[in-house]
């Protein structure tokens, strides 16, 4: 048995570890794209009192995606459960108007029981009790290049491991770590890289998790950091190069550059003269300064040449998040061929007629592979739609709206048909 990368967690034979194949995953490469899913507006009743306005649930569906989707007025926007190598890209979570004085919903994005999930280029304009929650042994999640009006990202219970939050704007940043009790939330290597808000982010409470890392993070003044938990802080309140760690890690893995280390933290670029990133070496081996250049981290360097070095705590602090997302980032989200349209099965998309049956019939007819096209319109969906293996629902950008008068819930699970 060979490994494509070092294991992200410590393993000893004393634990009797087992290696499993992909055989249990009988569905893969499912997608929802170019849609708006709008629930009827109702006041938000509070946690555990929701009306069930839930949008998307991917359960045990690896190598799948949500792309260019807007979800409005949801109690729960997205669940990704047990689905490794998943990409959420260009997701907007919002409301048609505020649903409550404090919160608009309970969960925005809920990630659990999986690994290598990428959430990127997102916009959370609604306020959930937890905008993005990572829990239940989730490993290697990358949350990147996003913004929120008052964003919260919570490491929930059951020790999510090695979560990266990179190039994220928390907006008002009133509760960036979400409501949390006194117990530890995260396991090791929760990493904040180039995060900011309208105000500097407060530090999390001391017992939030061990071996947390803050690099290029806009942080409020703090004292009394818990040294026993081995937190690491570098370039506090200063932009760090690269702007987004995950995408730079992927670029280096796919096309590695031979860069020779110069020296120490702070080596590198002079924005005034655009000198090479690595002082003392030619442009052939070292990149030029980018326009949005920041100080290189001593844990990464200009192009990852410091990645394997240990810091003063004697342990490597950065993990490799380059494998997060669809097909481990090695293949773009595919544009799958359209097989059928919901109009072929009687959907009207006029915002008046119930189009549920047309969608159900389209799913039944397409079998186990292909794309169902949803032309521009407003479609009324009043029951759950279960989508089988290798099936994609695709709308026209910004023009397709699902409205649920009872329940609007697309669930990516295997069809019960044989």
């Amino acid at each position: 048995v060979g490994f494509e990368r070092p294991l992200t967690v410590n393993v000893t034979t004393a634990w009797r570890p087992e290696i499993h194949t992909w055989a249990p995953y009988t569905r893969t490469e499912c997608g929802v794209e170019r849609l708006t899913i709008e629930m009827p507006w109702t006041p938000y009743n509070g946690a555990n009192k929701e009306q069930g306005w839930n949008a998307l649930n991917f359960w045990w569906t690896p190598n799948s995606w949500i792309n260019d989707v807007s979800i409005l007025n949801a109690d729960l926007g997205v669940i990704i459960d047990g689905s490794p190598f998943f990409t959420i890209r260009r997701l907007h979570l919002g409301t048609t108007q505020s649903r409550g004085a404090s919160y608009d919903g309970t969960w925005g994005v809920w990630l659990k029981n999986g690994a290598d999930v990428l959430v990127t280029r997102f916009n959370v304009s609604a306020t959930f009790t937890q905008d993005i929650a990572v829990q239940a042994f989730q490993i290697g999640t990358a949350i990147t290049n996003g913004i929120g009006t008052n964003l919260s990202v919570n490491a929930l219970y059951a020790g999510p491991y090695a979560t990266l939050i990179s190039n994220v704007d928390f907006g008002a940043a009133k509760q960036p770590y979400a409501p949390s009790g006194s117990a530890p939330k995260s396991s090791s290597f929760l990493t904040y890289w180039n995060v900011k808000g309208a105000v500097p982010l407060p530090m999390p409470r001391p017992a939030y998790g061990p071996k947390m890392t803050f690099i290029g993070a806009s942080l409020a003044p703090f004292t009394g950091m818990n040294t026993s938990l081995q937190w690491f802080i570098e370039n506090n309140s200063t932009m760090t190069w690269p702007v987004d760690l995950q995408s730079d890690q992927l670029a280096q893995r796919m096309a590695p550059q031979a860069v020779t280390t110069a020296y120490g933290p702070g080596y590198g670029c002079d924005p005034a003269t655009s000198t090479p990133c690595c002082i003392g070496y030619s442009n052939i081996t070292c990149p030029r300064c980018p326009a949005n250049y920041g100080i290189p981290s001593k844990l990464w360097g200009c192009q990852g040449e410091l990645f394997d070095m240990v810091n003063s705590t004697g342990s490597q602090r950065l993990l490799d998040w380059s494998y997060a997302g669809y097909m481990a980032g090695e293949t773009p989200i595919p544009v799958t061929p359209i097989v059928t349209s919901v109009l072929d099965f009687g959907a009207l998309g006029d915002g008046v007629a119930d189009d549920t049956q047309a969608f159900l019939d389209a799913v039944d007819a397409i079998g186990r592979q292909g794309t169902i096209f949803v032309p521009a319109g407003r479609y009324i969906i009043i029951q759950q739609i279960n989508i089988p293996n290798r099936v994609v629902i695709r709308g026209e950008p910004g023009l397709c709206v699902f409205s649920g008068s009872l329940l609007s819930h697309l669930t990516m699970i295997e069809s019960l048909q044989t």
Side-chain angles (χ1 to χ4, degrees), residues 175-370:
Q175 216 169 24
Y177 312 104
S180 62
S182 59
K185 293 292 183 178
S186 173
S187 53
S188 296
F189 303 115
L190 172 58
T191 300
Y192 292 83
W193 182 285
N194 283 340
V195 298
K196 65 180 181 179
V199 297
L201 275 61
M203 291 292 284
R205 54 185 175 77
Y208 197 85
K211 294 186 178 179
M212 295 180 66
T213 299
F214 302 84
I215 297 179
S218 176
L219 300 174
F222 59 90
T223 58
M225 188 169 64
N226 190 335
T227 56
S228 66
L229 293 178
Q230 300 181 46
W231 289 7
F232 178 84
I233 297 176
E234 182 189 26
N235 297 347
N236 185 18
S237 301
T238 303
M239 176 68 75
T240 296
W241 172 258
V243 175
D244 172 34
L245 177 62
Q246 191 274 337
S247 60
D248 207 54
Q249 287 185 325
L250 176 60
Q252 297 309 315
R253 177 164 66 88
M254 300 303 292
Q257 303 296 315
V259 177
T260 305
T261 301
Y263 53 86
Y267 73 89
C269 252
D270 178 356
T273 60
S274 191
T275 54
C277 187
C278 301
I279 293 175
Y281 296 89
S282 70
N283 293 342
I284 296 175
T285 57
C286 296
R288 304 289 292 186
C289 297
N292 52 359
Y293 172 78
I295 298 172
S297 168
K298 64 182 178 182
L299 302 186
W300 181 249
C302 294
Q303 291 188 315
E305 71 277 10
L306 304 181
F307 177 56
D308 292 326
M309 295 184 68
V310 298
N311 65 12
S312 59
T313 67
S315 62
Q316 184 177 342
R317 299 303 300 234
L318 296 182
L319 277 71
D320 186 355
W321 286 278
S322 70
Y323 291 86
Y326 174 78
M327 293 294 180
E330 298 169 5
T331 303
I333 295 173
V335 180
T336 54
I338 294 173
V339 174
T340 189
S341 166
V342 293
L343 300 186
D344 297 335
F345 298 89
L348 298 180
D350 60 3
V352 177
D354 177 2
D355 292 314
T356 306
Q357 193 58 51
F359 278 80
L360 295 173
D361 291 344
V363 168
D364 288 340
I366 201 170
R368 287 182 173 269
Q369 186 165 352

Side-chain angles (χ1 to χ4, degrees), residues 34-279:
R34 302 178 183 176
L35 295 175
T36 294
I37 302 174
E38 179 181 334
M39 315 300 177
W41 184 91
T42 59
Y44 173 58
N45 292 334
N48 302 317
K49 299 177 182 178
E50 301 91 343
Q51 298 185 52
W53 300 123
N54 308 324
L56 298 172
N57 178 14
F58 286 76
W59 183 76
W60 279 54
T61 312
N63 288 315
S64 297
W65 64 90
I66 297 169
N67 188 26
D68 197 7
V69 169
S70 180
I71 298 173
L72 305 176
N73 303 329
D75 291 323
L76 193 160
V78 174
I79 302 175
I80 309 299
D81 188 353
S83 302
F85 303 113
F86 195 102
T87 292
I88 300 175
R89 179 178 177 270
R90 296 184 64 183
L91 173 69
H92 169 238
L93 298 170
T95 61
T96 54
Q97 67 182 72
S98 176
R99 300 183 67 207
S102 300
Y103 298 108
D104 298 308
T106 303
W107 307 82
V109 177
W110 188 4
L111 310 174
K112 55 181 179 176
N113 301 311
D116 299 303
V117 172
L118 174 64
V119 183
T120 189
R121 299 179 65 184
F122 59 88
N123 183 345
V124 183
S125 60
T127 301
F128 296 85
T129 60
Q130 301 179 75
D131 293 327
I132 302 177
V134 188
Q135 75 161 83
F137 314 111
Q138 184 85 10
I139 296 177
T141 301
I143 301 167
T144 72
N145 302 309
I147 189 170
T149 300
N150 184 23
L151 189 68
S152 63
V153 179
N154 190 17
L156 211 55
Y157 56 84
Y161 179 83
T163 300
L164 171 68
I165 303 168
S166 175
N167 193 32
V168 170
D169 188 334
F170 281 75
K174 294 180 179 178
Q175 216 169 24
Y177 312 104
S180 62
S182 59
K185 293 292 183 178
S186 173
S187 53
S188 296
F189 303 115
L190 172 58
T191 300
Y192 292 83
W193 182 285
N194 283 340
V195 298
K196 65 180 181 179
V199 297
L201 275 61
M203 291 292 284
R205 54 185 175 77
Y208 197 85
K211 294 186 178 179
M212 295 180 66
T213 299
F214 302 84
I215 297 179
S218 176
L219 300 174
F222 59 90
T223 58
M225 188 169 64
N226 190 335
T227 56
S228 66
L229 293 178
Q230 300 181 46
W231 289 7
F232 178 84
I233 297 176
E234 182 189 26
N235 297 347
N236 185 18
S237 301
T238 303
M239 176 68 75
T240 296
W241 172 258
V243 175
D244 172 34
L245 177 62
Q246 191 274 337
S247 60
D248 207 54
Q249 287 185 325
L250 176 60
Q252 297 309 315
R253 177 164 66 88
M254 300 303 292
Q257 303 296 315
V259 177
T260 305
T261 301
Y263 53 86
Y267 73 89
C269 252
D270 178 356
T273 60
S274 191
T275 54
C277 187
C278 301
I279 293 175

Side-chain angles (χ1 to χ4, degrees), residues 1-16:
V1 175
F3 293 92
E4 65 179 4
R5 52 175 158 159
L7 296 176
T8 56
V9 296
N10 293 326
V11 176
T12 171
T13 55
W15 301 344
R16 298 182 181 179

Side-chain angles (χ1 to χ4, degrees), residues 25-32 57-65 336 340 359-372 384-393 410-418:
Y25 294 95
T26 55
R27 55 208 164 270
T28 185
E29 296 192 65
C30 297
V32 175
N57 178 14
F58 286 76
W59 183 76
W60 279 54
T61 312
N63 288 315
S64 297
W65 64 90
T336 54
T340 189
F359 278 80
L360 295 173
D361 291 344
V363 168
D364 288 340
I366 201 170
R368 287 182 173 269
Q369 186 165 352
T371 295
I372 300 172
Q384 178 173 295
I385 298 174
N386 297 331
I387 302 175
N389 186 38
R390 298 182 186 275
V391 170
V392 176
I393 291 186
L410 296 174
T411 304
M412 295 296 153
I413 65 173
E414 184 181 15
S415 171
L416 297 179
Q417 298 178 353
T418 58

